[in-house]
Amino acid sequence: MPQNNPAAPACANLGLAIQEIAPMAVLARVYPEHRSVTHLFESDFYRMLIDRRTEERVAHMIRLHFGNSADWRHAHDFHLPTGALYLTPEPHQNGYIPEDDHSFGLSLARRIAIADGSC
């Protein structure tokens, strides 16, 4: 009989796992740990107002999943529908403010990795 192991992965997909705790999220922007902030955006490009604990949980899930694939000293955007991790545009570039060009900063040139389907 299977037991509920809290250390075991809770899902088969990182994007779905994040949507379980933040259902309207489409993009998660994870800033470097020293800034201690994470932003989640809805499909209409507006930032979600969520509690700090949820932000920390989402950031932890993303960092854990992608591990050494990314340089976490820089901000990264995780696009939930595609499972792709992108280097966040700099404040002066299109996409830093998601609604400025409706791209969420999802330029192929900035793509770092794609989630492999496991959490």
Side-chain angles (χ1 to χ4, degrees):
M1 185 169 171
Q3 296 202 355
N4 187 6
N5 180 356
C11 69
N13 182 287
L14 180 60
L16 291 176
I18 293 170
Q19 286 184 324
E20 284 180 12
I21 59 175
M24 301 302 293
V26 173
L27 182 91
R29 180 164 288 171
V30 180
Y31 290 93
E33 286 189 55
H34 71 274
R35 288 194 52 193
S36 185
V37 68
T38 301
H39 294 156
L40 295 171
F41 295 90
E42 297 176 349
S43 62
D44 59 3
F45 308 106
Y46 289 107
R47 199 173 117 206
M48 296 174 62
L49 299 176
I50 57 172
D51 62 282
R52 181 71 191 124
R53 186 171 180 214
T54 301
E55 287 180 354
E56 289 171 348
R57 188 169 168 201
V58 168
H60 176 74
M61 292 167 69
I62 293 169
R63 285 188 183 109
L64 185 65
H65 183 85
F66 287 103
N68 294 331
S69 311
D71 181 353
W72 297 110
R73 296 174 297 175
H74 303 284
H76 288 78
D77 293 337
F78 177 67
H79 188 242
L80 281 66
T82 62
L85 184 71
Y86 296 85
L87 185 62
T88 301
E90 293 297 321
H92 63 277
Q93 294 175 311
N94 278 343
Y96 182 77
I97 300 170
E99 67 272 19
D100 68 358
D101 68 350
H102 297 269
S103 76
F104 271 142
L106 305 180
S107 164
L108 287 178
R110 291 191 190 100
R111 188 167 62 195
I112 304 293
I114 296 179
D116 64 7
S118 63
C119 290

